[in-house]
Amino acid sequence: MPRFMMWCTHFITLVVPIVSAIEVTIPLTAPLGAAPLKGNLVSLSIEQDRWNEWAGTTEPNTFFNNVLDNFIQITNTPPFVRIGADSEDHTDFSHDVEYEEDIFPPSSIITPYPEATNITVGQGFYDIISHLPNGTQVHWGLNLREYNLTAAYLETVALMNTFSSPAVLEKHIDLKFIEVGNEADLYHKHKSRNSSWNVQEYVSEWEEFAYNVSITANLSKLSCTKLIGAAFAGSSHNNLSGFSPQAIFNLGILESPAGQLIETISQHHYSGSFCTGSGAALQDLMTKSYIRGNLSAFIPDIEATLANGLKYILGETNSISCHGAPNVSNTAGAALWLLDYTLYATQVGISRMHFHEGIGYKYNLIQPVTLNYSILDGSPVAPLAPHVQPAYYAAIIVAEAIGSSGTTQAVEISIDEDHVSGYAFFEHGSLSKAVFINTVAYFSGAGARNSTHIDFSFTGLGRPPNNTSVKMLKIGYASDTSNLTWGGQTYETSDGRVSGPLTVDVLPISSGVDLQETEAILVTFS
C-alpha cells in the first residue's frame, strides 16, 4: 500500500520597517527675524496652595533645587518661577499662621490631588523663596477674586518684606512680576462674580486693586518689579466673554497709573481638557498640525501685545487642563509634545512658557515630594519618592539647544512632512545646532518601527559643517512613563541629578541622520 507524505508549509510574515527620506535646507546664518531665546524659555508655574512643599519650610527641598540646578548647569540661567494660579485667588494672609493652612476638597478619580479651596498663609510662606537657587526670577500671584483690598494689602506687604530681606537679597532672587488675579475671565463661571461680569468691570477692578498693590509695594517705572497684564484663560479666538489683550488695551488699561507698570502680557493655554473625565488621545496631542493650530490661535493677541511694546508669555500652560489626562500627560509622548510645542511657540512671538505644576498633577515635569496616592486615579500606592516625569527630558533638550552663550536664536526648518518637525539654532549669528522630532506615536504591538532619514543642505554665506554630533532621546513606546534616556543618560535618579555615561554619535555631514517614530534628536554641527 503506497504511503503519501503530507507536507505542512508554514508562512512567516516579516514586518519590515519603512524608511522614508527627506532633505532639509538649513541657513548657515540666522535669518532676519529669527526668534531670540533666553535660557529660561521653559519655566514653571506652581500651584500656590502647596508652595511650602516645593520650596521646603525649615530647610530647602533638595530634590527640587537639584532639578532646577540642572538647567543652570546647562544655560547659566535658572527657570523663571511663577507662584499662583487658581489658588492665588483663594489665599488670605494671617499673622497667626507660620507657613500655610489649607482646606482641600475630597480627592476624586478625575482629580486625585485637588487644589485647596481656602489657603491662609503667614510670613514664612513667602520667606521660603530664599530656598530657591541663586538668581531665580519670580512671578507671584495675588488674590483679586475675593475682592478684598485688605487681603491684597497684607499679601503685598508680606511679599515685599520677603524680597527686601537679607536672605533673598544675598541670593539675588528677584521679584520680577506681581500678578493681580488669575483668569478673571472665568470669575463668573466660578460664581465669584454675577452674570453681568465683563471686561469693562474687570479693567475697573484691576486698576483699583493693582494701583493699591503698586503703592504698597512702592513700584515705579524704574523699579525691578513690574505688573503682569491679563493672565486670562484663553485667546481672543476662543474667549467668548470678550476678555483679551486687545480689549483691555482698547479700554485704556495701559494709560492707567497701574497699567503703566505692565511690562508683559500673560495668557494661559491647555491643548485639551480632562475636567469632566473625558478621554484624550496621545497621538492627537503629539500631532504637528494640532500643535500649530493650538498656538496659531494666539497670533492676533501676540501681535497686539508686541505692537504696544510689551512682551508676551504663556504664564500658565501644559498639555490637558484639570491637571492632565491619565496615560497621556504623564507619558513619553507628552515629552515630544512639550518639545515641539515650546519651540514652535517661539516662532509666533511667545518669549517664555510657564509649564504648570502641582503636587501630584499628571502633567508635571517634576514630582517634588513623596506621593502616597496614584496620580492617575487617587488609589493608594507604595510611597513614590520625588522624581521627574518624561516631560522633564524635553525641558532639558530645550536647554541644551539654547546653551549658555546668551545669543541664541531659532527658526523653524521647513519640512514638508506631517510627522517631522525641525528647528535650527544659531549662536552669535552662526548655525550651531538643530532639533528634529518625529511625532508619530509608536505603541507596543504596532509592529516595525518606521524611521525617516534626513539629509542636509545649507544656504547662505559661510562654510558648511563637516560633521555632526547626534544626541538621542531614547523612548521605548509613546505610552512609557519612565525609563527614558537622553544621550544614554537618565534623570530618573533619587537626587534628580543626571547619571550614566554620555552617548553621542559623531557622523560625517554627508551621512545624514535617522529619526525613528516617537523620537527626538539634537544635532550639533561642527
Side-chain angles (χ1 to χ4, degrees):
M1 186 174 179
R3 290 186 173 182
F4 295 94
M5 302 295 292
M6 301 295 292
W7 297 92
C8 293
T9 304
H10 297 276
F11 294 96
I12 300 174
T13 302
L14 297 176
V15 181
V16 180
I18 297 172
V19 179
S20 58
I22 60 175
E23 182 177 294
V24 299
T25 302
I26 304 175
L28 291 168
T29 56
L32 187 66
L37 307 185
K38 297 287 183 66
N40 57 14
L41 171 60
V42 174
S43 287
L44 302 179
S45 165
I46 294 176
E47 192 67 50
Q48 188 163 292
D49 58 4
R50 297 176 71 174
W51 162 241
N52 62 327
E53 296 180 55
W54 289 86
T57 52
T58 57
E59 60 184 13
N61 180 329
T62 301
F63 183 85
F64 184 47
N65 268 17
N66 285 351
V67 296
L68 295 181
D69 185 64
N70 290 336
F71 295 106
I72 300 172
Q73 298 303 313
I74 297 167
T75 66
N76 285 336
T77 308
F80 217 111
V81 177
R82 174 203 184 217
I83 301 152
D86 180 71
S87 51
E88 83 183 51
D89 275 330
H90 298 275
T91 300
D92 292 301
F93 182 87
S94 171
H95 292 288
D96 297 326
V97 172
E98 183 177 11
Y99 295 110
E100 66 175 298
E101 296 176 357
D102 300 328
I103 299 173
F104 289 93
S107 173
S108 69
I109 292 177
I110 295 174
T111 312
Y113 290 86
E115 295 105 327
T117 53
N118 184 279
I119 305 106
T120 305
V121 303
Q123 186 63 52
F125 179 79
Y126 299 96
D127 289 346
I128 56 177
I129 197 74
S130 65
H131 291 169
L132 294 190
N134 286 15
T136 299
Q137 295 180 306
V138 180
H139 163 166
W140 206 297
L142 301 180
N143 188 342
L144 174 66
R145 181 174 169 182
E146 292 183 354
Y147 198 66
N148 185 330
L149 276 170
T150 301
Y153 168 79
L154 292 172
E155 289 179 55
T156 305
V157 169
L159 193 59
M160 301 316 292
N161 284 343
T162 286
F163 282 92
S164 61
S165 67
V168 173
L169 293 173
E170 286 169 8
K171 296 183 73 174
H172 303 286
I173 297 172
D174 292 331
L175 179 63
K176 295 296 288 184
F177 296 109
I178 295 176
E179 175 182 294
V180 181
N182 174 74
E183 299 182 354
D185 47 327
L186 301 183
Y187 282 0
H188 167 57
K189 178 181 177 181
H190 295 317
K191 304 188 188 313
S192 58
R193 297 293 186 276
N194 61 31
S195 59
S196 68
W197 178 245
N198 57 41
V199 69
Q200 290 89 349
E201 288 184 75
Y202 162 74
V203 168
S204 177
E205 243 182 60
W206 184 91
E207 288 178 355
E208 177 189 15
F209 267 69
Y211 176 73
N212 278 275
V213 166
S214 66
I215 294 299
T216 304
N218 196 28
L219 304 187
S220 72
K221 290 183 179 180
L222 299 177
S223 60
C224 168
T225 305
K226 298 294 193 298
L227 298 178
I228 282 287
F232 298 147
S235 69
S236 58
H237 176 77
N238 61 19
N239 197 322
L240 301 180
S241 59
F243 285 73
S244 69
Q246 298 91 312
I248 63 175
F249 297 157
N250 291 338
L251 289 166
I253 196 169
L254 297 180
E255 287 73 54
S256 69
Q260 292 178 46
L261 299 174
I262 293 175
E263 188 179 84
T264 296
I265 291 294
S266 169
Q267 286 179 279
H268 301 170
H269 180 58
Y270 292 87
S271 297
S273 173
F274 192 68
C275 298
T276 60
S278 56
L282 180 54
Q283 179 62 86
D284 289 347
L285 178 71
M286 295 169 61
T287 299
K288 181 178 175 180
S289 59
Y290 185 72
I291 290 169
R292 280 144 186 77
N294 264 277
L295 287 169
S296 295
F298 288 87
I299 289 176
D301 304 353
I302 297 166
E303 290 178 343
T305 298
L306 299 182
N308 277 280
L310 307 175
K311 294 179 181 178
Y312 185 96
I313 65 172
L314 287 183
E316 179 182 323
T317 190
N318 216 307
S319 56
I320 309 293
S321 66
C322 293
H323 309 174
N327 302 314
V328 174
S329 299
N330 58 314
T331 66
L336 297 184
W337 163 81
L338 190 150
L339 182 58
D340 198 11
Y341 178 71
T342 299
L343 295 178
Y344 186 72
T346 68
Q347 303 303 294
V348 295
I350 299 172
S351 60
R352 194 167 59 252
M353 308 282 278
H354 289 258
F355 287 92
H356 197 50
E357 310 280 295
I359 300 295
Y361 292 5
K362 303 173 194 73
Y363 51 44
N364 278 13
L365 283 68
I366 304 156
Q367 297 290 3
V369 297
T370 298
L371 303 177
N372 295 304
Y373 298 93
S374 167
I375 67 170
L376 303 181
D377 59 13
S379 59
V381 294
L384 188 59
H387 60 283
V388 300
Q389 298 198 151
Y392 183 82
Y393 286 91
I396 290 290
I397 296 171
V398 171
E400 290 194 17
I402 295 171
S404 60
S405 73
T407 67
T408 303
Q409 297 168 275
V411 295
E412 184 176 17
I413 299 169
S414 178
I415 300 176
D416 189 22
E417 289 283 341
D418 292 340
H419 62 275
V420 176
S421 299
Y423 301 88
F425 298 83
F426 306 84
E427 295 182 42
H428 303 287
S430 298
L431 177 66
S432 59
K433 304 181 188 82
V435 165
F436 295 97
I437 311 156
N438 188 318
T439 57
V440 173
Y442 180 71
F443 294 107
S444 175
R449 191 169 192 167
N450 301 326
S451 64
T452 299
H453 180 78
I454 302 171
D455 286 312
F456 302 109
S457 64
F458 301 93
T459 61
L461 299 175
R463 183 178 178 181
N466 295 318
N467 297 296
T468 61
S469 298
V470 182
K471 196 171 181 181
M472 179 191 304
L473 179 65
K474 189 70 175 176
I475 295 169
Y477 301 106
S479 55
D480 286 354
T481 58
S482 61
N483 298 319
L484 286 70
T485 58
W486 171 235
Q489 297 177 306
T490 181
Y491 284 87
E492 297 163 42
T493 55
S494 60
D495 61 1
R497 295 297 195 180
V498 67
S499 177
L502 175 65
T503 302
V504 177
D505 294 327
V506 178
L507 304 168
I509 198 75
S510 58
S511 69
V513 294
D514 292 316
L515 182 68
Q516 289 193 114
E517 294 173 338
T518 309
E519 188 171 86
I521 57 174
L522 175 65
V523 179
T524 301
F525 298 104
S526 60

